Amino acid sequence: MTAAPPPLPDDARAASPADESGRDAAADPVDRPRFGAARAIVAVLLGLLVAWFLWDGLSSLVGLPAQYEALGIADRTPWVVLVAGVVAPPLIFGLGILLARRQSVTRFTLVLIVALATIATTRLSLIATAASLSGF
Amino acid sequence: MSSDRPDDALSWGDEADASYVDPGRDDLDRADADPAAERADGEEPSSDAAASAERAPGDRRRAAVTAATGVLGGVYLMYSVGWILGIPLLSLTGPTLLIEIMYQFGEFLAIIASALWFATTLALTRGGRPAARLGWLALGALVLVPWPFLLGVLA
């Protein structure tokens, strides 16, 4: 390796203070698209499916322990899995919204669809885990 | 360095000096390649050697990223197969027709999840850093593991 000193960053050399402040002032309105009606509509529509997954998780959390008790294996109720089934859908969807809120509406929709598919896989994985934990 | 110019401490040196190397301006490999060219009996002009030496690391890195993406693509393909094989092992039925339909739709989403994640990651990281693309693909490989298949086979 040559013993060359690292170069000064180009912007530090080229930009003058006046340029800097002008650039900053112009950057804000352009770089931050408002969340807007289109993204809100997409989020609400896809959120309906999330709401179904959430309802499915809640009904399992409420109904399954009673079934386990009736079968006499109440001590093997997979509580962690049941709670995870309720927490996961809104968490994953919320993460999707958070990550993609600044993207174009098309990309935003795509990311939320991937989030929905991830929720679906998570739900089935949790069901499989619960079944194997309880020895079915 | 002259000691009666305190500003010397604040600058990298005299840019007009012949030994000054600015990686942003000069071709570093030319500085490296000169001794090598002398040893190599002048097989190629040293500017060609420098240019190809500069291209090779970038090409190798790009090829490595493409190879890693290909390997991860294979993993995602296996995941899709795992989901297709594992979901029937769960045998979920819904008490009403509507719930049954939703269950089927959920299973459909799970089967296409791996392909969707892979395609979306590639599409959204097309112009970006390879680390971001590989990071998202690695995350998907952890999140989308087809547990119904794995647990059903290992049971």
Side-chain angles (χ1 to χ4, degrees):
Chain A
M1 200 180 296
T2 59
L8 292 173
D10 280 339
D11 0 332
R13 271 201 295 252
S16 69
D19 280 353
E20 207 84 55
S21 58
R23 239 199 333 264
D24 278 354
D28 261 14
V30 174
D31 280 354
R32 293 164 180 263
R34 287 181 52 246
F35 192 71
R39 287 186 192 81
I41 291 175
V42 166
V44 164
L45 285 180
L46 294 178
L48 290 177
L49 291 171
V50 178
W52 180 80
F53 282 109
L54 180 62
W55 176 85
D56 184 63
L58 277 171
S59 66
S60 297
L61 177 65
V62 166
L64 218 57
Q67 287 184 23
Y68 273 67
E69 221 169 283
L71 287 173
I73 45 171
D75 56 336
R76 281 197 269 168
T77 313
W79 288 111
V80 174
V81 174
L82 288 176
V83 170
V86 172
V87 168
L91 183 70
I92 295 175
F93 197 63
L95 280 176
I97 291 181
L98 210 64
L99 287 167
R101 69 193 188 284
R102 302 268 172 83
Q103 304 286 333
S104 69
V105 178
T106 311
R107 291 184 162 198
F108 181 75
T109 310
L110 204 55
V111 168
L112 289 190
I113 290 177
V114 172
L116 265 178
T118 307
I119 294 173
T121 65
T122 306
R123 172 178 169 267
L124 293 178
S125 291
L126 287 173
I127 291 175
T129 310
S132 81
L133 278 179
S134 337
F136 286 122
Chain B
M1 267 190 296
S2 131
S3 58
D4 49 331
R5 289 200 303 167
D7 284 347
D8 269 344
L10 299 174
S11 74
W12 292 119
D14 185 359
E15 289 187 276
D17 190 280
S19 65
Y20 179 82
V21 178
D22 178 354
R25 188 191 66 189
D26 300 336
D27 190 343
L28 267 180
D29 293 309
R30 196 177 307 132
D32 279 338
D34 276 343
E38 281 166 14
R39 285 197 300 271
D41 294 321
E43 293 156 354
E44 304 173 80
S46 60
S47 61
D48 272 0
S52 58
E54 195 174 74
R55 263 206 306 276
D59 278 351
R60 269 201 298 272
R61 204 178 310 131
R62 220 171 303 135
V65 170
T66 308
T69 306
V71 166
L72 283 165
V75 170
Y76 276 72
L77 191 61
M78 286 194 321
Y79 280 9
S80 298
V81 171
W83 280 111
I84 293 174
L85 293 178
I87 284 176
L89 297 176
L90 285 177
S91 61
L92 293 169
T93 56
T96 72
L97 181 61
L98 176 62
I99 294 185
E100 179 73 41
I101 291 175
M102 294 306 291
Y103 279 4
Q104 299 284 354
F105 179 61
E107 291 169 4
F108 166 71
L109 275 182
I111 286 176
I112 65 171
S114 309
L116 265 182
W117 186 295
F118 190 76
T120 301
T121 300
L122 254 55
L124 264 56
T125 61
R126 188 157 292 284
R129 302 189 322 270
R133 163 178 297 185
L134 294 181
W136 281 110
L137 290 180
L139 179 66
L142 287 174
V143 167
L144 297 174
V145 176
W147 288 113
F149 175 71
L150 288 181
L151 293 172
V153 165
L154 298 174

